[in-house]
Structure formats: structure tokens, C-alpha cells
Amino acid sequence: MIDTQSPEARERLTAALGIARWVDEVAAGGPYASVDDLVRAGGRAATDLTDAELDEAVGHHPRIGERSEASGDASRLSAGEQAGLGPREEGVDAALARGNEVYESRFGRVFLIRAAGRSRQDVLDELQRRLKNDDAAEAAEAKEQLRQIAALRLAALFEGAR
């Protein structure tokens, strides 16, 4: 059984998705028989994220290509996710930095993307594509990226937990 009531478990939940309502809902649904059950519950709790929750979660994510200023599990996971993008590429990294600035100016928040399984070029291509979204479409895409990030982080944080 996976305990979700302890302070340590709640910290891990917060590292997976930094939205207080989501953490409370997922924690209250435990204990879970398996990590898969926990991930499914996390997905259900993240189905209808609000714009305010999107803004709340953004505070837990650094810009693509930058280190997290936070500490703990969220920072460690973010660093690992971004390291998976592969080696730095000067031109791509410069384009990402410029794209991040344009995105933040346009949408008022950090660009969120599930970095796992993507290259730096993939992220840049997605950033450029998503800059063409209207506000509602982009909020929906950012929320979907949060759900994907949360699922991966839950699995990583609770694998082997009992």
C-alpha cells in the first residue's frame, strides 16, 4: 500500500504537481494499492485544472534550459528532466531563451512542456508551434503538459514506496 497521508508523501505529491487542491485530493484518496493506482488517481484529480491552478503550478517549474531555484524532489526531478534533453546546443539554447521571453510576454507564464523523451530541438519546435496558439488553446496545452509531468513524477517519486 502506498501511504499518501504522511508529511513526506504530501511533499512528494507537491513535487509531482504543485497545486494544493490536487495534493489534497490525491492524498485523501489514499492509501493506494499500487503506483499505477496512484497515477490514475492523480490523472483524475488533474482532469479539470483551472487557470488559477495552472498559475499556481507554474511557480514550481523553472524555464526550459534553466535550473530550478527550489530545493528537494521538485528541483531534482526538474534537473533530471532537463538533463534528458541532451547536450547544450548554443544556437538552439539561444533560440529557446528568446522563445521563452516571447512566450512569457505573450502568455504571462513560463512555458511548460514535458521534457522527458524530447530533445532540445523538439522543445524548441513545440515552443514555436505553441506561440501561435490563442490564450485558451495554450492554457489547455499547458494543463495537458502538467498532467503528463505529474504522471511521470508520481511514478518516479513513489516507485517502491510502501
Side-chain angles (χ1 to χ4, degrees):
M1 298 301 270
I2 298 173
D3 169 40
T4 52
Q5 298 298 314
S6 71
E8 296 81 15
R10 290 183 65 85
E11 285 178 26
R12 282 184 273 170
L13 290 171
T14 300
L17 183 57
I19 298 172
R21 188 247 344 134
W22 181 87
V23 170
D24 291 343
E25 189 173 327
V26 174
Y32 296 95
S34 68
V35 171
D36 289 341
D37 289 344
L38 172 62
V39 170
R40 279 191 289 278
R44 285 190 301 275
T47 299
D48 294 317
L49 297 175
T50 66
D51 289 345
E53 289 174 329
L54 173 58
D55 292 340
E56 181 182 356
V58 165
H60 297 271
H61 291 270
R63 289 177 187 89
I64 289 289
E66 292 184 7
R67 289 182 175 261
S68 174
E69 293 181 13
S71 61
D73 288 328
S75 178
R76 180 181 52 78
L77 289 166
S78 178
E81 292 158 359
Q82 292 206 35
L85 294 173
R88 292 196 158 293
E89 299 175 44
E90 187 175 328
V92 173
D93 289 347
L96 278 171
R98 283 190 306 276
N100 279 332
E101 289 175 12
V102 172
Y103 183 95
E104 288 177 38
S105 175
R106 171 119 194 268
F107 295 111
R109 68 179 162 272
V110 171
F111 174 66
L112 293 172
I113 189 165
R114 174 194 41 79
R118 290 190 164 109
S119 69
R120 289 183 179 302
Q121 186 64 54
D122 293 338
V123 171
L124 177 58
D125 292 346
E126 274 298 290
L127 173 57
Q128 291 171 337
R129 181 189 67 77
R130 287 172 52 188
L131 280 168
K132 297 173 186 169
N133 283 344
D134 63 27
D135 289 350
E138 182 49 31
E141 286 210 44
K143 291 171 189 175
E144 175 55 29
Q145 293 303 305
L146 281 175
R147 285 187 283 275
Q148 291 179 25
I149 293 165
L152 291 171
R153 287 182 172 189
L154 281 173
L157 289 164
F158 287 89
E159 193 62 47
R162 296 287 177 252

